[in-house]
Amino acid sequence: MRASIQTTAGLKKRTGKLSACFIALNKYKYLYMLLLPGFVWYFIYKYLPMYGLIIAFKDFNFSKGIWNSPWVGLKHFEFLFSYPDFYRIVKNTILMNLYELIFSFPAPILLALLLNEIKSMAFKRSIQTVVYFPHFLSWVVFGGIVIQMLSPNDGWVNHLRGWFGLEPIHYMVMSDYFRPIVILSLILKESGWGAIIYLAALSGIDPEQYEAATIDGATRWQKLIYITLPGIRNTIVLLFILKIGTMLDFGFEQIYVLYNPSVYDVGDVLSTYIYRIGLQDARFSLTTAIGLFQSAIGFILIWTANRIARRYSDNALW
C-alpha cells in the first residue's frame, strides 16, 4: 500500500514538472523559435558528422563505404602513439596554445581596459574601428600582409634594419622566429574583436561604485584593481575555461598560410598535420583517430578547468 502511494506521488510529481515545462515552452515560444536556427545548425554540422567517428576504428575505403569497410579496432591509435612525429606535433600544438594563453589571451583584456579609460567618444570610436578592422580580413589576406612585411627584399621590417646597417633576416624560414610571428600576428588580428566582450562586461559595472571610490580618494589604479577587474572577473573565467578546452586545437588557417616546410619542426600542429595526411595523402582513418584523440583530450581539459573554477570561484560553465 505504501509503495503504491509513493508510486502515485512520484507520478504526480513528474506530471507536474512536465506540465510546467509545457507551460514555459508555450509562454516563451517565440524566444525558443529564435533559438531554433542555431540548434539546427549545430545538429547538422556538429552532431550528425559524429557518425563518421567510426572511421577511426576501420580501414576506410571509398568504394566500400563507411559500414562495409573492415573493422581494425585500435590499429590506428596504436600506430599514432608509436609514431615519433606525433609527439613533436602535439608538443608544437601545446606550446602554441600556451604562448597564446600567456600573451594573446590577456591582450583583449588590456585593450578593453585602455579603451574604457578614453573619455572622448569620437576618439574612442575611431580607435575601436581601427583595432576591429583586422578581424574582418581573412587569414589569407592578413597572412599575406605579414609575409610581405617580413620579406627580406621588400619588407619594411628589413628596410628598417637596413637603415641601421644590419643584414636582412629571412624571418619566415627560420624556426626561431616562427612562433613569435604567429602569436604577434594573432594578437594584431584578433585582440580588437576579442575586446568587445570585455567592453560589454565593463559597461555592466555600476558607475556609482566609481563615484564612491572617487569620493573616498581612490586613484585610477585602485579603481582598476578593486572595481574594474572584479567586475569582469566572471567573463575572464568563462573565456579562460573555453580556451583551456581548445589546448590541442590551434587555428588551421593561420598556420597553413604562414608556415612552410622549413619551419615544420616548430610550426606543424595537429590541424595542419590532419590536413596534410588526411586530404593530401587520403589517410582518412588515421586522421579521424587523431581528431577523436584531440576531442577527448579537449573534453577532459575543459571539464577539469570547469571543476577548478567551481571550486575556487563563483562562476563556471555548468
Side-chain angles (χ1 to χ4, degrees):
M1 183 67 177
R2 183 180 297 175
S4 178
I5 294 173
Q6 289 177 348
T7 303
T8 305
L11 183 61
K12 287 182 178 179
K13 186 177 181 181
R14 287 193 293 270
T15 304
K17 287 183 178 180
L18 191 61
S19 300
C21 180
F22 279 115
I23 292 171
L25 283 173
N26 184 61
K27 182 178 181 181
Y28 301 108
K29 56 181 178 291
Y30 296 113
L31 292 177
Y32 285 112
M33 287 175 65
L34 292 174
L35 178 65
L36 186 61
F39 175 80
V40 171
W41 185 90
Y42 265 93
F43 180 75
I44 293 174
Y45 292 103
K46 298 296 183 180
Y47 286 93
L48 286 182
M50 288 184 182
Y51 161 74
L53 290 177
I54 62 174
I55 296 175
F57 307 97
K58 288 172 169 278
D59 265 335
F60 177 68
N61 188 301
F62 264 118
S63 61
K64 296 179 180 179
I66 293 179
W67 276 113
N68 294 323
S69 297
W71 290 93
V72 293
L74 299 177
K75 169 188 171 183
H76 300 297
F77 292 95
E78 292 172 356
F79 172 80
L80 197 62
F81 296 127
S82 63
Y83 187 52
D85 281 351
F86 176 71
Y87 295 97
R88 173 180 58 82
I89 293 163
V90 170
K91 175 187 173 184
N92 290 341
T93 308
I94 293 174
L95 283 176
M96 287 284 195
N97 278 286
L98 284 175
Y99 293 151
E100 183 181 356
L101 274 179
I102 296 170
F103 299 106
S104 181
F105 183 80
I109 303 173
L110 296 175
L111 180 60
L113 293 174
L114 291 172
L115 289 173
N116 191 55
E117 293 297 320
I118 298 176
K119 302 304 179 184
S120 171
M121 291 304 299
F123 182 64
K124 182 177 181 178
R125 288 171 181 169
S126 300
I127 296 296
Q128 285 177 310
T129 302
V130 172
V131 297
Y132 293 170
F133 178 72
H135 170 79
F136 298 99
L137 298 176
S138 70
W139 270 113
V140 175
V141 175
F142 194 81
I145 294 172
V146 172
I147 293 172
Q148 181 62 33
M149 286 169 51
L150 299 175
S151 168
N153 299 319
D154 305 321
W156 65 263
V157 174
N158 277 305
H159 276 306
L160 187 63
R161 288 178 58 85
W163 293 345
F164 294 95
L166 300 174
E167 293 294 323
I169 296 177
H170 294 70
Y171 289 100
M172 301 307 300
V173 296
M174 297 182 67
S175 299
D176 292 341
Y177 291 104
F178 183 75
R179 286 172 182 159
I181 289 170
V182 168
I183 300 302
L184 184 58
S185 61
L186 181 64
I187 291 172
L188 291 173
K189 187 176 186 298
E190 299 296 342
S191 292
W193 184 254
I196 293 177
I197 298 175
Y198 297 107
L199 285 170
L202 287 168
S203 66
I205 299 175
D206 189 355
E208 291 184 359
Q209 295 186 44
Y210 292 105
E211 294 172 4
T214 301
I215 294 172
D216 291 339
T219 63
R220 281 196 171 188
W221 179 254
Q222 290 172 325
K223 293 176 186 177
L224 175 67
I225 297 298
Y226 296 107
I227 299 176
T228 306
L229 287 179
I232 62 173
R233 181 184 59 189
N234 290 343
T235 304
I236 294 173
V237 170
L238 284 176
L239 293 179
F240 184 78
I241 293 172
L242 293 174
K243 181 57 196 168
I244 289 293
T246 60
M247 283 297 288
L248 285 185
D249 183 21
F250 200 84
F252 166 77
E253 297 90 348
Q254 180 186 9
I255 299 294
Y256 187 74
V257 168
L258 294 177
Y259 86 155
N260 56 75
S262 302
V263 293
Y264 276 177
D265 58 324
V266 298
D268 205 12
V269 294
L270 281 170
S271 56
T272 54
Y273 182 70
I274 289 172
Y275 171 78
R276 281 210 321 278
I277 68 171
L279 295 182
Q280 296 181 351
D281 298 343
R283 301 172 68 181
F284 300 106
S285 295
L286 181 60
T287 53
T288 305
I290 297 173
L292 185 56
F293 164 78
Q294 191 176 3
S295 300
I297 298 299
F299 173 77
I300 293 171
L301 288 172
I302 199 169
W303 181 84
T304 304
N306 189 72
R307 291 276 296 184
I308 295 172
R310 286 182 61 187
R311 185 169 183 176
Y312 295 103
S313 72
D314 300 328
N315 203 25
L317 288 177
W318 66 85

